[in-house]
Amino acid sequence: MIAITGASGKLGSLTIRILKNHVDPEEIVAVARSPEECTDLNEYGIWVRGGDYNSKESMIDALQNVDKLLQISTTATGKKGIQQERNVVNAAKYCGVKRIIYTSSLHACRESRFLATQQASATESFIKQSGFVYSFFRNSLYMELIPNLVGNASETGVIRYPAGDGKVSFVNRKDIAKALASELLNRHEENRIYEITGSCSYSFHDLAELLAQKTGKNMLYENITPAEYKELLNEQSVPTDTVDLLTSLARAIRANEFSHYCRTLQDLLNEKPVSLETYLQSI
Ligand SMILES: NC(=O)c1ccc[n+]([C@@H]2O[C@H](COP(=O)([O-])OP(=O)(O)OC[C@H]3O[C@@H](n4cnc5c(N)ncnc54)[C@H](OP(=O)(O)O)[C@@H]3O)[C@@H](O)[C@H]2O)c1
């Protein structure tokens, strides 16, 4: 059986919906901490099981008779996030899961400036040490994050963000889901690390230009300082943990940790990934 965690989330649910068209839905286990949010999946014949990353025991219940697991990274950060991801890996080990496909982060290494990437790197190491066959999907930033990154730019005509000239190889979430589904269907037994990126990378100047073309209105990029960005987030009463996460993301973008791009996603999909231009036209 194939289990997918984060089934109530955007990437997990997209992947399940693609996967069910290629395997017997009774071979799929959708795992969510609030399974009542996934009852529509029952209608396709997919198993829905409760599992909270905070509890190894609940993940053990969720992963019974599973041999392949798509582990969607958690939204929690810091020590809690690392512990949650370890709980999932430990539960998978206990249940005899053979293969883990894990959604990691581009530039995964302990030295990353982005807190979530540091966490992904710790989980990758733990999965390796635990002896699974693994595939790591080192995802670049989702295109779907752009509205959050540019804030109220459509009203002010200015994107205020501290990315310097850093570039990002934005990737479409649905493309990642398609590639994850194909990896889950693949029977290979060797370890793989994929860098999942768009076909090119864009600076925030480029982004301003594309948004101006889309809206027909002037749009500029103002490279504010990290301190100004922090102040902006505090003015919006963003919780401290999230401020730390978002400022670490901006530092990583500025240092080009998300600028790398390659053909890997195109090869996995057998077609061109959705371009940023196409995505921006759709929103
Ligand atoms: N590459 C990028 O640009 C990017 C951007 C954002 C996030 N991410 C990472 O990629 C992951 C998937 O992205 P997404 O867009 O699908 O995010 P999402 O829609 O926020 O989904 C996250 C999923 O994780 C589940 N989850 C969180 N804490 C849990 C817990 N304690 N126990 C069980 N499940 C838990 C959520 O469950 P609930 O529905 O119950 O909350 C949800 O199903 C995120 O979780 C995050 O780690 C990457």
Side-chain angles (χ1 to χ4, degrees), residues 74-135:
T74 184
T75 46
T77 54
K79 282 188 184 145
K80 188 175 173 187
I82 289 180
Q83 187 56 50
Q84 286 186 353
E85 298 204 334
R86 281 181 168 239
N87 289 342
V88 179
V89 177
N90 283 329
K93 190 78 195 165
Y94 184 88
C95 293
V97 171
K98 303 272 178 311
R99 236 180 110 194
I100 293 188
I101 292 146
Y102 169 68
T103 58
S104 180
S105 179
L106 198 61
H107 196 75
C109 64
R110 282 167 51 187
E111 298 75 27
S112 167
R113 291 157 182 84
F114 185 29
L115 297 173
T117 306
Q118 292 172 18
Q119 184 167 312
S121 166
T123 300
E124 281 191 3
S125 301
F126 195 59
I127 291 171
K128 281 184 183 171
Q129 283 163 27
S130 305
F132 294 95
V133 176
Y134 60 80
S135 299

Side-chain angles (χ1 to χ4, degrees), residues 20-249:
K20 74 168 173 43
N21 298 327
H22 301 277
V23 288
D24 180 352
E26 291 202 348
E27 285 295 306
I28 303 176
V29 179
V31 182
R33 66 175 150 180
S34 308
E36 64 282 1
E37 284 178 26
C38 303
T39 44
D40 56 320
L41 294 175
N42 283 136
E43 287 161 27
Y44 299 115
I46 293 167
W47 299 97
V48 177
R49 296 183 186 162
D52 187 328
Y53 296 162
N54 286 306
S55 152
K56 179 180 154 193
E57 290 67 32
S58 81
M59 289 308 300
I60 287 176
D61 289 343
L63 299 181
Q64 293 297 314
N65 302 318
V66 166
D67 43 28
K68 241 185 263 179
L69 169 66
L70 168 56
Q71 179 179 356
I72 298 276
S73 47
T74 184
T75 46
T77 54
K79 282 188 184 145
K80 188 175 173 187
I82 289 180
Q83 187 56 50
Q84 286 186 353
E85 298 204 334
R86 281 181 168 239
N87 289 342
V88 179
V89 177
N90 283 329
K93 190 78 195 165
Y94 184 88
C95 293
V97 171
K98 303 272 178 311
R99 236 180 110 194
I100 293 188
I101 292 146
Y102 169 68
T103 58
S104 180
S105 179
L106 198 61
H107 196 75
C109 64
R110 282 167 51 187
E111 298 75 27
S112 167
R113 291 157 182 84
F114 185 29
L115 297 173
T117 306
Q118 292 172 18
Q119 184 167 312
S121 166
T123 300
E124 281 191 3
S125 301
F126 195 59
I127 291 171
K128 281 184 183 171
Q129 283 163 27
S130 305
F132 294 95
V133 176
Y134 60 80
S135 299
F136 297 148
F137 268 57
R138 291 186 173 167
N139 297 332
S140 190
L141 292 188
Y142 304 153
M143 290 173 185
E144 291 81 354
L145 281 190
I146 289 173
N148 302 85
L149 294 175
V150 305
N152 62 353
S154 60
E155 291 145 41
T156 60
V158 185
I159 302 173
R160 302 186 75 226
Y161 194 74
D165 294 326
K167 291 190 169 189
V168 180
S169 52
F170 289 108
V171 60
N172 188 267
R173 201 194 268 112
K174 192 163 182 191
D175 277 342
I176 304 179
K178 285 184 193 167
L180 284 169
S182 94
E183 186 67 2
L184 284 164
L185 292 167
N186 193 315
R187 290 177 187 276
H188 68 72
E189 291 193 350
E190 68 278 19
N191 300 322
R192 299 205 175 172
I193 297 179
Y194 300 110
E195 288 171 321
I196 302 293
T197 72
S199 307
C200 53
S201 59
Y202 300 83
S203 69
F204 276 64
H205 297 287
D206 300 331
L207 195 54
E209 207 172 304
L210 288 175
L211 287 169
Q213 279 167 20
K214 172 189 155 66
T215 58
K217 293 185 197 160
N218 285 339
M219 179 74 70
L220 290 173
Y221 165 50
E222 185 187 342
N223 174 30
I224 58 176
T225 65
E228 284 171 322
Y229 181 53
K230 207 166 177 173
E231 209 177 296
L232 208 72
L233 295 171
N234 286 330
E235 276 167 17
Q236 294 163 13
S237 308
V238 175
T240 316
D241 284 3
T242 312
V243 171
D244 291 346
L245 185 71
L246 293 176
T247 50
S248 76
L249 173 62

